[in-house]
Amino acid sequence: MLLQRNKLGSVRPPKRCRSDMDNTSTSDIVIINGNSHPDLANMVAERMGLKNGGCSVFHKSNRETIVEISDSVRGKDIYIIQTGTKDANNNIMELLIMAYACKTSSARSIVGVIPYLPYSKQCKMRKRGCIVSKLLAKMMCTSGLTHIITMDLHQKEIQGFFDIPVDNLRASPFLLQYIQESIPDYRNSVIVARNPGVAKKANSYAERLRLGLAVIHGEQKEAESDEVDGRYSPPPTRNSTPQHAPSSSSRTRTTSVSVGVPEHPIKVKPPLTIVGDVNGRIAIMVDDLIDDVQAFVAAAEMLKDNGACKIYVLATHGLLSSDAPRLLDESPIDEIVVTNTIPHEIQKLQCHKIKTIDISILIAEAIRRIHNKESMSYLFRNVTLED
């Protein structure tokens, strides 16, 4: 290498050409994947002009997970593409073992690309259960992951469970573009929230498309069994006042309840109604995940009864478990649009109404920006808190 001297006599290396800089910026990236969605990993690697790293993930006869990485990862930036599917537990273990294998092999950074984060719906305390998303976040951080890229979390607050940076990407630009380009006469549409919990997301879509909004109210929430286990047993009441109780004159600012702890009033489910006009309109239901489709089918039947001419369902993640394809095929829903964050090729063979939008370009751009230490704000431009 020829060295050049400046006016002060110090030595400086020669300038590198543009091609050398490009090669250096991509030579230390390694993309590997597990068994959850190899097609998405290959598409992301192809968009970035890279080859998928040599990683073999298989299971022994006793169902233990074995990970073998053939390429060197020492001092490199590793991106593990592993999404959640119906085999969520194996997906998680594969991700944790791959991350730990890279950590013990002296990788510089390990970024988990998890388009659909498993257990994201278990982010609230339910009865005597636990917040599983918090446990999963701790496991991922302990395994060696230094960064997380995901998409449309069920609740944005899940990011606070992680002790590492989390980029929660949005699929709404792709879905909005589909509405504008693929739904005929979409100006005659109304955005529908199938329950009040989705109203914020539906309102965001309606504002961006300048469309009306309708909310289905009264839909039954997730079942919570009322088994008799002592949870609802009332405390014992006291018929007599204790001797050490304060006199009534000293309790001028405190209201006394003579029956003990008040009982919560029983919730009465209101009748199923639609707030908004859908008569003669195209109804577009939006959500983040479509898995058990009974609620979507019931909402579609009600929309049809109220005069909706066509019914679309748009969601980021299409898990479509159990007999969801059959129920959708027999329902009044005209089209179901989901992204390829979760593989659903088998479901598409069972239901011709399912359409897929490719979001690999968004994941590839996020990886490129993180690796080059560029701002991620462009990917979140015009995103509000309601998204």
Side-chain angles (χ1 to χ4, degrees):
M1 180 183 295
L2 298 177
L3 300 180
Q4 301 175 354
R5 293 185 179 273
N6 56 18
K7 296 180 179 179
L8 299 178
S10 60
V11 179
R12 56 176 180 148
K15 294 182 179 180
R16 295 184 298 174
C17 63
R18 182 67 180 176
S19 60
D20 293 337
M21 295 177 66
D22 293 340
N23 292 336
T24 304
S25 63
T26 59
S27 61
D28 53 352
I29 297 181
V30 176
I31 295 179
I32 61 177
N33 64 276
N35 296 323
S36 64
H37 203 344
D39 293 337
L40 178 62
N42 292 332
M43 285 189 290
V44 171
E46 182 179 357
R47 287 186 179 276
M48 299 188 66
L50 303 172
K51 71 177 185 69
N52 204 333
C55 180
S56 177
V57 182
F58 56 93
H59 302 277
K60 296 178 64 176
S61 58
N62 61 354
R63 302 307 298 165
E64 288 186 0
T65 302
I66 305 295
V67 172
E68 295 179 355
I69 302 176
S70 57
D71 297 338
S72 174
V73 299
R74 182 178 296 273
K76 295 184 179 180
D77 297 326
I78 312 301
Y79 294 86
I80 305 175
I81 300 179
Q82 180 81 339
T83 190
T85 64
K86 290 183 289 187
D87 193 12
N89 294 332
N90 276 332
N91 300 149
I92 292 170
M93 283 307 301
E94 290 179 5
L95 173 65
L96 298 177
I97 296 175
M98 284 189 292
Y100 191 67
C102 295
K103 176 183 177 181
T104 54
S105 298
S106 303
R108 180 169 58 188
S109 66
I110 308 169
V111 181
V113 183
I114 315 169
Y116 170 62
L117 183 68
Y119 290 98
S120 60
K121 294 191 72 174
Q122 299 191 43
C123 58
K124 295 180 180 179
M125 180 65 73
R126 298 288 184 184
K127 292 185 179 178
R128 295 190 179 98
C130 63
I131 303 177
V132 185
S133 295
K134 172 67 173 178
L135 172 64
L136 184 60
K138 285 292 184 183
M139 294 168 61
M140 289 183 178
C141 295
T142 304
S143 67
L145 293 174
T146 59
H147 200 126
I148 296 290
I149 301 175
T150 186
M151 184 172 293
D152 282 343
L153 288 172
H154 185 63
Q155 296 289 340
K156 297 185 295 295
E157 290 76 11
I158 295 176
Q159 299 177 73
F161 295 159
F162 291 85
D163 297 328
I164 56 178
V166 177
D167 286 314
N168 183 25
L169 303 178
R170 303 288 192 270
S172 54
F174 296 88
L175 299 176
L176 290 169
Q177 184 180 15
Y178 182 89
I179 294 174
Q180 294 172 325
E181 297 180 357
S182 301
I183 297 182
D185 193 21
Y186 82 94
R187 289 294 181 186
N188 188 36
S189 302
V190 58
I191 306 298
V192 179
R194 66 178 180 87
N195 59 44
V198 197
K200 286 187 176 180
K201 178 182 286 291
N203 182 60
S204 176
Y205 277 71
E207 290 179 349
R208 282 172 166 75
L209 295 171
R210 276 69 172 175
L211 298 177
L213 177 66
V215 180
I216 299 178
H217 179 61
E219 185 178 8
Q220 188 175 4
K221 297 182 180 179
E222 295 182 0
E224 293 187 3
S225 57
D226 294 331
E227 66 272 12
V228 179
D229 57 358
R231 183 178 302 124
Y232 302 110
S233 58
T237 60
R238 295 185 178 182
N239 298 326
S240 60
T241 305
Q243 297 180 357
H244 60 275
S247 61
S248 58
S249 60
S250 63
R251 293 179 293 159
T252 56
R253 299 192 181 205
T254 304
T255 301
S256 176
V257 180
S258 59
V259 295
V261 179
E263 183 180 357
H264 284 283
I266 299 176
K267 293 183 179 179
V268 179
K269 179 185 175 183
L272 200 64
T273 57
I274 296 180
V275 182
D277 182 22
V278 297
N279 187 21
R281 312 281 290 278
I282 301 173
I284 304 175
M285 285 190 285
V286 296
D287 211 330
D288 61 330
L289 171 67
I290 176 170
D291 185 10
D292 298 326
V293 300
Q294 287 85 354
F296 290 92
V297 173
E301 291 174 351
M302 186 174 184
L303 291 170
K304 203 68 168 179
D305 294 339
N306 282 265
C309 58
K310 280 192 175 182
I311 302 173
Y312 291 80
V313 175
L314 275 69
T316 303
H317 311 296
L319 201 53
L320 302 172
S321 301
S322 187
D323 56 347
R326 179 184 61 81
L327 294 175
L328 292 174
D329 199 40
E330 298 173 354
S331 71
I333 299 175
D334 295 282
E335 200 166 279
I336 302 97
V337 183
V338 292
T339 68
N340 60 342
T341 56
I342 301 174
H344 49 264
E345 295 303 321
I346 297 178
Q347 288 86 339
K348 289 182 69 174
L349 296 176
Q350 300 171 351
C351 178
H352 68 282
K353 298 179 181 180
I354 302 174
K355 309 296 180 182
T356 307
I357 298 177
D358 180 24
I359 45 84
S360 60
I361 186 172
L362 178 62
I363 296 177
E365 179 64 13
I367 293 175
R368 188 193 67 80
R369 287 176 177 271
I370 290 175
H371 179 71
N372 294 331
K373 298 179 176 58
E374 298 179 10
S375 173
M376 296 283 288
S377 60
Y378 179 82
L379 302 181
F380 300 97
R381 183 174 297 178
N382 298 327
V383 173
T384 60
L385 295 177
E386 288 77 12
D387 287 342

